[in-house]
Amino acid sequence: HLENCKNIVIYGSEIRGLGSYGINASNTSGLLVCECDISELNANGVNISGGKQVTLTPSGNIIRNSYVHDFAKLKKAGSAGINLGGVGAAVSHCEVYNAPHQGITFAGNDHIIEYNRIYNVMKESSDSGAIYCGRSWTERGSAIRNNYIYNTKDVADYTYNDGNEYWGGTDRDAIYCDDLQSGITVSGNIIYNMGRAYIFGG
């Protein structure tokens, strides 16, 4: 656990089989997580926050070229592979896969999520997004671009009512900007074999 830290590099590490988070950093700036393999966790893979929202001072936190997979073994709901908070973090060229709920989540401002590969997530959940954010008018300025999101099978595609089968829709989405979320730019993503591509709620 890192707290109130600056200019930390976690490079070329294998982080596996922990009770909760792989990397948990709060109120931290200048953190670089690079070339890491993070897996077999009971909750989140990487959870970081930093910067100041009042002044929109960026954290400069970066997660790059890393694998986050097979996480949320016990805390299955709300445990993302990568969770960003604060201001001005970036996730790029990562693979996030094999999870019961979300792949990447974020809150705050001015984050960049780009060139990631996210697949086989939301395997045990509904009303969910491979990339998820939500519930603030003020958390503006983030970009979700050029990601490849694919292969989330939806077990809730069909609903049975009094023995009659009918199409029940789906609620597992590639990119989910939930209630009140505003000012997000979504562009250039490739989405394949998903329940739904985008949902902008509320």
Side-chain angles (χ1 to χ4, degrees), residues 18-184:
L18 301 178
S20 56
Y21 303 104
I23 297 170
N24 188 27
S26 59
N27 195 28
T28 292
S29 62
L31 171 66
L32 172 62
V33 177
C34 187
E35 301 286 350
C36 291
D37 191 316
I38 302 166
S39 68
E40 301 298 333
L41 306 168
N42 288 338
N44 295 57
V46 180
N47 185 58
I48 62 172
S49 65
K52 294 184 179 179
Q53 285 183 268
V54 173
T55 58
L56 294 181
T57 303
S59 65
N61 294 325
I62 297 171
I63 305 167
R64 186 173 64 214
N65 293 353
S66 293
Y67 299 87
V68 184
H69 59 97
D70 298 284
F71 52 90
K73 297 290 188 178
L74 291 181
K75 187 179 181 293
K76 296 188 175 187
S79 294
I82 298 172
N83 180 49
L84 305 177
V87 182
V91 180
S92 68
H93 299 92
C94 292
E95 286 196 30
V96 181
Y97 58 96
N98 292 353
H101 203 197
Q102 294 143 340
I104 297 175
T105 62
F106 67 92
N109 302 84
D110 301 337
H111 302 303
I112 297 174
I113 299 169
E114 64 181 358
Y115 299 108
N116 301 291
R117 184 175 293 219
I118 306 169
Y119 56 97
N120 294 345
V121 296
M122 300 179 289
K123 295 196 294 186
E124 300 178 46
S125 59
S126 185
D127 189 18
S128 183
I131 298 176
Y132 178 89
C133 60
R135 305 200 168 156
S136 175
W137 283 326
T138 67
E139 294 181 348
R140 306 171 64 89
S142 294
I144 304 169
R145 61 197 185 205
N146 304 322
N147 300 284
Y148 182 25
I149 305 169
Y150 63 101
N151 285 2
T152 292
K153 302 292 186 181
D154 199 317
V155 297
D157 279 347
Y158 292 96
T159 303
Y160 293 87
N161 184 15
D162 298 326
N164 296 315
E165 182 180 348
Y166 65 93
W167 179 254
T170 182
D171 209 5
R172 292 188 177 125
D173 311 294
I175 297 172
Y176 193 152
C177 297
D178 208 348
D179 302 340
L180 308 180
Q181 195 72 30
S182 303
I184 307 297

